[in-house]
Amino acid sequence: MTLVPRPSVTVRFSGTRSAEGPLNIGQYNILQWLRRESEQFFAAVAGELDVPAATVVDDVAQALAVLIERHEGLRTTYLDGAEPQQFVQATGELVVEVYAIEAADPQLVDRASLARDLTRRLRAAGAYRIGELPVRVALAVSSGDASTSSAEVVQAAVIGCSHLAVDYQAMEIIKREFADLIRDRGARPAGGPPIQPLDLAALERTPKALRHEETVLSYWKDRFSRMPQCLYPVPRVAAGTGSVSVEMTSTAAGMALRAVTARTRTSRASVVLAAIGAVLSHRTGVRELVLPTLSANRFEPHLRQHVGSLAQLASITLTVSDTTFDRLVRQAWAAVVDASRHGRYDVDRQSAIARRIEHERGVVFDCEPLFNNLVIESGRAAGRATAPVPTPDELVAARRTTQLRRQPMPAGTTLIRFDLYGTDGQLRLGCWSSDTGRIPDDEVESLLLAVENLLIAAGSADLGARGIRDSIPLSPVQRGPGWRLVDGCWIEVAEVQRLLDDNLPSTGARIFAEVDGLPLVAHLARTEAIRTPEQAHAACLAAVKAYPTAMTPRHYVICERVPDNPDDPAAWRDVCSQGSGRTVGTGDPGPC
């Protein structure tokens, strides 16, 4: 089955206003990210549109025109600079790519395969440029006469948008509204008109919103003071690195998920988050999990149908101790709500806070989400309906259909990440390891299957702490004497030494787990480049992100030369010219 380019189709739209103004907080957050990562895999958001049988190209064009007219973010261009601006276009045109399907047997057309092919073609067009319309659409049509493409039947349709214009939840809104429009051109979304991105920018500058932002930034100071550098501290098990994602599709977990959601009256995403938290805690031995996530901030009624980019980093704290699974689910629900309340902020000020605390603690935070929920739910209403408790036989039968699909991924910035893709009927959960030298393909699959196993066990009845542990078929990480828990971070002393060897090679630096009651003390010889503890700390801090199970030394002792026995702290003391050095964090990284 191949796709052959056909004449494109122009969609003309006419909205209610043209306007311009500053970016809102969510848009600016994405712009900052795109400035660094414009070619990154997730710089665009794509989705398959639901096209019923007998839909022709004109039907799709008319539905797209209504969507673009309804949501100003889809007809907005952007101008970068010292004060970035957005420009809403009242009228314009969208060029839709059209491809004819050439298949040996037209009855065997695979729509899923077509959608993947169309998505690849949209991505091949490259990054969305700042001044262009942030929407692209591609259609696959049944083969016919090239002069009558508008009357050809559409077999698959994919829309792609710049992340400046939409986040993943906005894409779900677009897909849902398109599905309604393609069946009824007069369809309108429930509730009042959606707030537009430009209007949101004005709301964010009101005194009430600015006071709330100060509260949010205080919240982030607390979270950064507790967040470990590495959220999955495991030793390296293989040489080299790779990046892999595994997606699990589980009907059995979906059945159990409905039962737990009904029993706890929470959201399905909270149940999945609780299960992931329990598995990670069991595997790593970390009881307080400070998990970065993405908040799309649509809890407020006026944002429910907002098509824009609201996604910002949020922080969820889960304490996994001797509690029941249902209580952990309710804790996860409360943590998600709390994170969303604190998920809109000036990213520049938040980053300044992070940099200061990183300097003080000797870590660099991984500010990519560990848990990313791409499912839209209606809050607590999702859990109010009753659901039958699946029988053991039903679960056993359903579990035989569980599928795991691996795919290589581009290099990521976070060691491990979970993506929740679907909860209706089946649980669709992805796990992405960006370093298969630490988290190999098999372990990624084992983590997903452990989440499935725990959910299935919890589907029949609430589990106590022992029941939770017994339902997780993974062994805890074994840490020998080379591991230390320092400032909430599990670190390998050997990895700290590697950090010093790689980045302070001419100093002969040695790390000692403890000297005179002080943790992680580095002794090193003075060089032209490294003359002070602040300079040594700056060099280590600039590199430490590449060493996930390390952190910078807590103290630095500068000596005139390397002693004859550098592995003995007493030998360093004999040649040290500067006493016990200075404590990390005395340098001033700048105001918060």
Side-chain angles (χ1 to χ4, degrees), residues 339-373:
S340 294
R341 291 195 185 106
H342 298 91
R344 278 166 55 194
Y345 47 82
D346 182 324
V347 67
D348 289 337
R349 295 183 66 191
Q350 186 245 24
S351 296
I353 291 169
R355 286 193 298 271
R356 185 180 189 91
I357 295 175
E358 286 173 343
H359 180 277
E360 293 169 352
R361 295 183 62 201
V363 299
V364 173
F365 301 119
D366 186 349
C367 288
E368 290 295 313
L370 185 142
F371 177 68
N372 188 21
N373 175 23

Side-chain angles (χ1 to χ4, degrees), residues 420-433:
L420 181 59
Y421 296 115
T423 58
D424 288 333
Q426 296 175 317
L427 172 64
R428 291 178 53 230
L429 180 65
C431 183
W432 176 10
S433 164

